[in-house]
Amino acid sequence: MMNEHSLKKTLSQLNIGGLRYFDSIGSTNDDALAWAATGAHDLSIVIADEQTQGRGRLGRKWFSPKGSGLAFSLVLRPSAGQRPHLSRTVGLAALSIAESFFRLGLAPCIKWPNDILLNRKKAAGILIENIWSGDDVDSLVIGMGINIYTNSVPPPEFLQFPATSLEDALGRETPAREEILFNIISAFIHWRERMGTDELVKGWEQLLAFRGEQVQVHTGGDAPIIGRLLGLESDGSLRLGDSHDKSIIIRFGDVSLRPSA
Ligand code: BT5
């Protein structure tokens, strides 16, 4: 059973800022935003067994029932050295989740910008929200939702993209959630120290789903942008190539494979 005691014990070897655990909460991002606004230390964690109002991007819902997955938010107070690289934060988070999956012998991919896939199905998502102080980011809240057990996978009518869980992908006994959380936070601390390096962007780029394939990216406008997925810019933007091999750079959007005609 995951609880405050088991989490404190597992995370005690890591240098986290603080921990808040809830059996049930609306959204861990909301609590972390409130905590950040009232002085949460760097690398504070809000985690819940269940979310009743879990959020995705653009008002979408994140399904996180009791006893099924990991739903947590990290508060980040960026150092001066990290500030120029904050657009890479989603990559930092995605790489950290991906590494925890590699450790279990799986082969994760990152569907740009914020989904982690196993067997081409979504196993985790990331939601980053900023607290501003004038024109500067005061702190960031990085929400991560990871489907651990089969019961975390939403019913198909809930989804635009197929979903899976770690348990489904492993097909064998799944480690405790605390252990997976430990691995994610350890990787996060490791990569965060390398936030300004090419190594981070390369590591992230190597894991991109659909590389070299024809994709469509919905950016909120009517027509999707279509092209071949080439890689990343150094700020974490996505680079596609059009039919004349001219680069198209995309900052926001949702990538999917282009259905073959
Ligand atoms: C995301 O949004 O993928 C970000 C999810 C972030 C969740 C974490 S949990 C801790 C923290 N607290 C919160 O309230 N949120 C964060 P987006 O790319 O917009 O994807 C949302 C879409 O994913 C939904 O519209 C569904 O189609 C699908 N979805 C919802 N729950 C899912 C699940 N458990 N597994 C796979 N897909 C899901």
Side-chain angles (χ1 to χ4, degrees):
M1 255 282 282
M2 185 170 82
N3 55 40
E4 185 158 357
H5 176 73
S6 68
L7 287 163
K8 281 209 162 122
K9 199 169 150 211
T10 312
L11 297 175
S12 63
Q13 303 150 47
L14 297 174
N15 212 355
I16 65 166
L19 180 75
R20 283 185 180 173
Y21 168 79
F22 297 88
D23 285 328
S24 180
I25 198 173
S27 155
T28 58
N29 261 37
D30 287 341
D31 192 78
L33 283 166
W35 195 9
T38 54
H41 292 144
D42 183 50
L43 277 185
S44 291
I45 302 176
V46 179
I47 179 163
D49 185 40
E50 170 193 53
Q51 292 186 120
T52 55
Q53 303 285 332
R55 294 189 272 117
R57 292 172 303 150
L58 306 169
R60 295 174 195 144
K61 290 193 177 356
W62 183 258
F63 185 75
S64 28
K66 233 179 196 353
S68 69
L70 279 169
F72 65 94
S73 304
L74 282 175
V75 176
L76 218 65
R77 298 210 173 268
S79 66
Q82 287 156 357
R83 285 185 180 278
H85 309 293
L86 289 183
S87 63
R88 298 176 172 185
T89 309
V90 66
L92 166 69
L95 209 48
S96 306
I97 297 172
E99 278 196 359
S100 75
F101 290 177
F102 275 120
R103 272 173 174 262
L104 298 171
L106 298 169
C109 281
I110 299 171
K111 184 161 86 69
W112 187 91
N114 68 317
D115 296 349
I116 293 78
L117 308 184
L118 290 169
N119 304 318
R120 294 207 163 195
K121 297 178 199 156
K122 180 161 173 172
I126 299 161
L127 174 68
I128 299 183
E129 295 178 300
N130 298 336
I131 296 183
W132 294 88
S133 164
D135 289 340
D136 291 327
V137 174
D138 168 77
S139 45
L140 298 91
V141 166
I142 306 170
M144 304 194 206
I146 298 120
N147 297 339
I148 307 291
Y149 303 115
T150 301
N151 59 336
S152 58
V153 178
E157 62 270 20
F158 199 84
L159 301 169
Q160 297 101 311
F161 191 85
T164 189
S165 68
L166 207 55
E167 185 177 27
D168 291 345
L170 279 172
R172 59 177 158 88
E173 207 182 321
T174 309
R177 286 180 284 172
E178 291 88 335
E179 182 182 332
I180 297 159
L181 177 69
F182 177 89
N183 290 335
I184 296 172
I185 307 287
S186 306
F188 189 92
I189 291 171
H190 169 94
W191 281 111
R192 187 190 181 190
E193 285 162 8
R194 292 159 182 79
M195 201 154 174
T197 64
D198 288 348
E199 195 192 344
L200 174 91
V201 182
K202 288 289 164 230
W204 175 10
E205 185 171 54
Q206 268 165 21
L207 295 184
L208 284 183
F210 316 135
R211 266 182 101 186
E213 297 186 70
Q214 289 290 331
V215 296
Q216 50 190 15
V217 186
H218 290 271
T219 56
D222 291 339
I225 299 172
I226 289 170
R228 199 155 71 87
L229 195 151
L230 298 179
L232 292 173
E233 295 292 286
S234 104
D235 69 351
S237 300
L238 189 70
R239 191 170 70 251
L240 303 189
D242 70 10
S243 50
H244 308 291
D245 263 343
K246 236 183 74 204
S247 286
I248 313 168
I249 309 298
I250 302 170
R251 286 176 174 279
F252 307 99
D254 278 298
V255 178
S256 51
L257 263 185
R258 193 176 174 202
S260 43

